[in-house]
Amino acid sequence: MRHSITLLAVLAGAASSQNITNATWLDTGDTLQLSTDSTFHFQLLALLGTGTYRGSDPADVLGAANIIVPGDFTSFNSTFAELAARKQAQALATRNKVNARDTFFQASSYWRAADFFLHGNQSDPLIDLYWKNQTACFDGANAALPIPGERVTIPTPSNFSAIGIFYAADTNSSSAKPTLLVGNGYDGSQEDMYHMICVAALERGWNCMTYEGPGQPTVRREEDIGFIADWEKVVTPVVDYLANRSDVDMGRLALSGTSMGGYLAARAAAFEPRIKALVANPGVVSVQASYFSVFPDELLALFHSGNQTAFDAVVNTALLDNSTPSVFRWGVEHGLWAFHTESPFEFFTLTGAMNLTGLYDKITVPTWTANSTRDTFFPNQSVEFAEQLQNSTNVTLVTYDGPEGYHCQVGASTSTNRDMFEWLDEVFA
């Protein structure tokens, strides 16, 4: 118990340190707080930001924010499930294609939000039910697009298939176009990526393909497999698929990774020579280090002692205590689910393989990475990542601060897309 008390105290301190109240716009200015729980605020801001590209309606998100009880996972989940069901019913009732598209997209986003804090009980049937609902709604919206995305399942030589969606910039299949391959990270889905990046890519004349591998939402559910560190096993078969399409210019193929996807994409780029440019938002040098940076010394020592039973007992005690900061409760609960384990010790051990040590020299393509000054998940790792890329022909590090400075610039996707596509246009000029 002494371990868990120390853990709770340190984590509470880490959570409070995220609240920056000094108010100059360019460096420390923050957004309007959508919840007194910093993790809920972040998720609500991220969902609000998808409205830029039809992923939500501001009134829906702000209304939900007004209802949700801070720190109460059930309150968050049930509020968005109710909203999602209502939007889905509205979408099914409309006969107008544009109305159906917009409302189905919103419903899909809200079903994903309803699932977000749900993974503490890995046998909860809602984990699969909500995802079936989100997929059905997303597919309903996709079918109403001028050029619907193509869902594809790509076998790999490993014990899984990659699952993707290819969005064509236009209907001219004989014209090879620049293509952005987009992967999410620890918890996000490829459907999220449509609203964050793909719409922006299509508007600029790029094809965009999203994909998921082990540990990510659809593959984890459909194939019952957790995250792997050697992500080239996912990306290379997807690149094989793209290479067989007549509308993809393989000389202008860029790979993007968002959140923990910054590690996944960089790892894949070290082994896949057909990738011609890399986008890491953020640059991630070590997944495990991001967790250990907030561990109290006592808990870190317990982990390194190898005493799995004692370590699991301490962490599991903290997970059952609602006073434990949401960022830790959610982070571990989702990690256990996504890495397909019941043991916190095993989960943190598996994250240890997710680092770029010994791989930097293999990343030689032009690389763009984002450093968000408010990032509490991988703080300052982008700076180290950029400094390590000695063999890359072009390394561009862009810093985002103020209201744009959250992890992955949530709520500011137009700024990110502007900077990223300006850079890509220069690289492929």
Side-chain angles (χ1 to χ4, degrees):
M1 182 60 70
R2 185 165 57 90
H3 290 300
S4 61
I5 292 173
T6 304
L7 172 62
L8 292 177
V10 171
L11 291 174
S16 64
S17 69
Q18 298 173 14
N19 297 322
I20 299 174
T21 56
N22 193 18
T24 58
W25 174 267
L26 291 178
D27 50 10
T28 58
D30 198 358
T31 66
L32 177 70
Q33 295 297 293
L34 302 176
S35 174
T36 56
D37 184 299
S38 61
T39 303
F40 282 22
H41 165 67
F42 179 86
Q43 293 306 321
L44 290 163
L45 180 60
L47 187 56
L48 187 65
T50 66
T52 302
Y53 299 112
R54 295 195 176 95
S56 66
D57 235 353
D60 292 337
V61 180
L62 295 176
N66 195 42
I67 295 171
I68 293 168
V69 178
D72 186 330
F73 288 4
T74 300
S75 174
F76 194 102
N77 299 337
S78 61
T79 297
F80 276 107
E82 180 181 346
L83 178 58
R86 185 162 68 248
K87 288 288 181 175
Q88 185 172 2
Q90 292 171 348
L92 290 168
T94 185
R95 290 178 292 178
N96 181 281
K97 191 173 182 179
V98 173
N99 292 343
R101 177 199 66 193
D102 291 354
T103 312
F104 270 132
F105 271 144
Q106 293 163 12
S108 181
S109 294
Y110 303 152
W111 281 123
R112 293 196 297 278
D115 168 78
F116 194 81
F117 291 101
L118 202 60
H119 298 171
N121 175 9
Q122 296 191 32
S123 63
D124 191 333
L126 294 179
I127 293 174
D128 288 335
L129 175 62
Y130 285 179
W131 209 257
K132 288 178 181 177
N133 290 344
Q134 88 81 24
T135 303
C137 289
F138 191 90
D139 287 350
N142 178 55
L145 290 172
I147 307 174
E150 305 170 40
R151 280 197 181 268
V152 295
T153 298
I154 302 169
T156 76
S158 305
N159 62 334
F160 63 87
S161 293
I163 297 174
I165 309 175
F166 183 88
Y167 302 94
D170 58 41
T171 57
N172 184 358
S173 61
S174 63
S175 173
K177 290 167 278 293
T179 300
L180 184 62
L181 178 58
V182 176
N184 214 321
Y186 182 65
D187 56 87
S189 68
Q190 63 179 322
E191 288 87 353
D192 292 322
M193 292 293 91
Y194 174 80
H195 301 294
M196 289 181 65
I197 297 177
C198 286
V199 174
L202 295 167
E203 290 175 343
R204 291 161 172 82
W206 284 63
N207 299 321
C208 189
M209 183 172 184
T210 61
Y211 75 96
E212 290 183 6
Q216 294 181 322
T218 304
V219 176
R220 172 63 179 84
R221 287 173 172 85
E222 294 186 359
E223 303 181 40
D224 203 29
I225 182 171
F227 269 111
I228 60 174
D230 43 355
W231 204 248
E232 66 276 10
K233 291 181 178 179
V234 185
V235 170
T236 290
V238 178
V239 174
D240 290 341
Y241 165 81
L242 293 172
N244 287 317
R245 292 189 64 105
S246 59
D247 52 357
V248 172
D249 182 351
M250 293 297 291
R252 293 184 291 171
L253 176 61
L255 175 63
S256 170
T258 296
S259 192
M260 193 180 81
Y263 159 76
L264 301 175
R267 163 83 193 208
F271 292 92
E272 178 45 70
R274 292 170 293 180
I275 298 298
K276 303 304 180 185
L278 172 65
V279 172
N281 185 8
V284 177
V285 302
S286 170
V287 174
Q288 190 182 71
S290 69
Y291 282 99
F292 284 0
S293 66
V294 297
F295 273 21
D297 291 342
E298 190 177 13
L299 186 69
L300 197 57
L302 183 60
F303 176 84
H304 288 307
S305 76
N307 189 336
Q308 179 171 348
T309 300
F311 182 87
D312 284 351
V314 169
V315 175
N316 287 329
T317 297
L319 295 181
L320 293 174
D321 189 331
N322 286 340
S323 68
T324 302
S326 297
V327 66
F328 185 81
R329 280 191 291 141
W330 166 80
V332 176
E333 288 178 354
H334 180 78
L336 294 172
W337 180 83
F339 281 77
H340 207 314
T341 177
E342 298 282 352
S343 164
F345 182 89
E346 183 178 4
F347 159 51
F348 288 116
T349 299
L350 289 169
T351 65
M354 291 182 155
N355 66 82
L356 295 176
T357 301
L359 296 178
Y360 294 106
D361 290 348
K362 297 180 182 296
I363 301 173
T364 59
V365 295
T367 300
W368 185 96
T369 187
N371 174 43
S372 296
T373 59
R374 309 182 75 87
D375 192 336
T376 56
F377 295 100
F378 301 103
N380 300 315
Q381 290 204 26
S382 290
V383 176
E384 181 180 351
F385 173 72
E387 290 174 348
Q388 292 286 346
L389 296 181
Q390 299 297 314
N391 289 347
S392 175
T393 57
N394 174 335
V395 179
T396 297
L397 174 68
V398 179
T399 295
Y400 295 91
D401 51 21
E404 295 182 341
Y406 280 94
H407 178 62
C408 301
Q409 307 85 57
V410 297
S413 56
T414 54
S415 293
T416 310
N417 288 325
R418 177 195 64 228
D419 296 339
M420 180 181 68
F421 283 105
E422 285 277 349
W423 180 82
L424 285 169
D425 285 345
E426 293 176 4
V427 167
F428 291 134

